[in-house]
């Protein structure tokens, strides 16, 4: 049985407990053995993390011990999947660039705040993660992120939708869903998920389900690969 760890907490406005409950239900229906923790100390045991198939952070605006970030990073580099959404993964630890490098992006704004009506445009490619999924509308926070140019973008949204200091720039297509590799591990991110009701939207939940499975499958694929996991342990000037 595949093993997953969900770690929830941080800012309550993102309803981390409720989102974690939804994710646990999705994973258990896919026959995962799921451990759920409400403390970042769950990242303190590096060898235990390497025994997982999937790590799902649901933690916004926190601070974390550098060694715990290193533990997650080393596990993912060795093949453990990392998948999450919204601020629960890409606004987790604003002062930790190692976390941001691993996850592929960092939230910086949501012009108009909650309730903005916008379109999520699916970018059809060779990835099976978006097969059969069409563009859809959502009313929520529209995330503006600083994004790693190495990610594979699977869905975007067009800015600007509402006025702001960014509006006089040219229109941009901001990534909403992406994947990337970290060592031989797989990373998946979806910027939707401000609160539990957004995760419950069928198309959003399906995108997350596919992302979880794709990331977890990476460990077996990494075991068949001749590529060695990197020994990267972060930037020294982020660890002072």
């Amino acid at each position: 049985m595949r093993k997953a760890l969900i770690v929830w907490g941080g800012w309550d406005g993102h309803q981390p407990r409720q989102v974690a409950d939804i994710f646990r239900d999705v994973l258990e229906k896919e026959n995962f053995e799921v451990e759920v923790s409400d403390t970042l100390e769950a990242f303190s045991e590096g060898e235990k993390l390497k025994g997982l198939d999937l790590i799902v952070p649901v933690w916004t605006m926190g601070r974390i011990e550098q060694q715990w970030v290193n533990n997650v990073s080393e596990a993912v580099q060795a093949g453990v999947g990392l998948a999450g959404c919204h601020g629960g993964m890409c606004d987790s630890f604003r002062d930790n660039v190692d976390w941001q490098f691993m996850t592929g992006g960092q939230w910086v704004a949501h012009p108009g705040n909650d309730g903005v009506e916008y379109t999520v445009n699916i970018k059809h490619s060779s990835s099976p993660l978006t097969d059969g999924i069409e563009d859809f509308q959502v009313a929520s926070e529209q995330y503006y992120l600083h994004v790693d140019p190495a990610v594979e973008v699977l869905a975007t949204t067009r800015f600007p939708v509402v006025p702001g200091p960014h509006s006089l720039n040219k229109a941009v297509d901001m990534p909403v869903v992406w994947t990337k590799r970290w060592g031989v591990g797989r990373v998946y991110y979806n910027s939707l998920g401000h609160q539990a009701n957004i995760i419950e939207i069928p198309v959003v939940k399906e995108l997350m389900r596919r992302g979880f499975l794709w990331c977890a499958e990476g460990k077996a694929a990494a075991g068949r690969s001749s590529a060695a996991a990197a020994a990267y342990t972060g930037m020294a000037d982020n660890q002072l």
Side-chain angles (χ1 to χ4, degrees):
M1 180 176 280
R2 291 171 295 182
K3 296 181 179 180
L5 170 66
I6 300 172
V7 180
W8 67 268
W11 184 56
D12 285 338
H14 278 163
Q15 300 181 337
R17 183 170 191 166
Q18 296 92 321
V19 171
D21 286 343
I22 296 169
F23 288 166
R24 179 176 191 165
D25 182 64
V26 169
L27 289 167
E28 287 182 341
K29 286 179 178 176
E30 296 294 337
N31 297 314
F32 280 78
E33 177 185 329
V34 183
E35 177 183 350
V36 180
S37 175
D38 64 353
T39 173
L40 292 174
E41 290 183 9
F43 295 147
S44 67
E45 299 181 50
E47 291 306 310
K48 179 180 178 181
L49 295 179
K50 291 177 183 177
L52 301 171
D53 297 279
L54 179 66
I55 297 170
V56 182
V58 190
W59 199 290
T60 305
M61 292 189 292
R63 296 182 66 88
I64 187 171
E65 296 288 337
Q66 181 62 43
Q67 184 57 52
W68 299 353
V69 174
N70 293 350
N71 291 344
V72 175
S73 175
E74 290 173 19
V76 178
Q77 288 177 71
V80 179
L82 181 70
C85 73
H86 202 66
M89 188 164 110
C90 282
D91 190 24
S92 297
F93 313 113
R94 295 179 182 177
D95 63 348
N96 195 290
V97 296
D98 295 326
W99 182 270
Q100 295 161 20
F101 191 17
M102 174 174 61
T103 58
Q106 170 62 37
W107 169 85
V108 293
H110 42 64
N113 298 311
D114 194 14
V116 174
E117 295 185 3
Y118 62 96
T119 301
V120 176
N121 300 111
I122 301 299
K123 185 175 180 180
H124 295 287
S125 64
S126 60
S127 174
L129 294 176
T130 56
D131 282 354
I133 295 178
E134 302 298 331
D135 298 350
F136 60 94
Q137 301 286 321
V138 66
S140 185
E141 290 181 339
Q142 187 185 32
Y143 258 23
Y144 202 104
L145 301 119
H146 288 172
V147 180
D148 183 346
V151 302
E152 179 177 0
V153 178
L154 303 183
T156 62
T157 185
R158 176 62 62 93
F159 277 86
V161 173
V162 297
H166 63 303
S167 300
L168 294 181
N169 297 307
K170 66 179 182 180
V172 296
D173 292 320
M174 179 61 56
V176 172
V177 180
W178 68 68
T179 60
K180 68 173 290 184
R181 305 302 174 117
W182 189 248
V184 294
R186 297 178 178 183
V187 177
Y188 175 90
Y189 177 70
N190 187 329
S191 72
L192 298 169
H194 174 56
Q195 292 186 329
N197 65 314
I198 301 299
I199 295 295
E200 289 283 19
I201 297 171
V203 65
V204 178
K205 185 184 284 189
E206 176 62 13
L207 284 167
M208 293 305 305
R209 185 189 72 85
R210 294 184 188 188
F212 292 152
L213 295 178
W214 180 81
C215 285
E217 289 164 0
K219 190 171 187 181
R224 298 190 297 268
S225 172
S226 60
Y232 180 80
T233 57
M235 299 298 296
D237 53 358
N238 188 47
Q239 301 180 31
L240 299 177

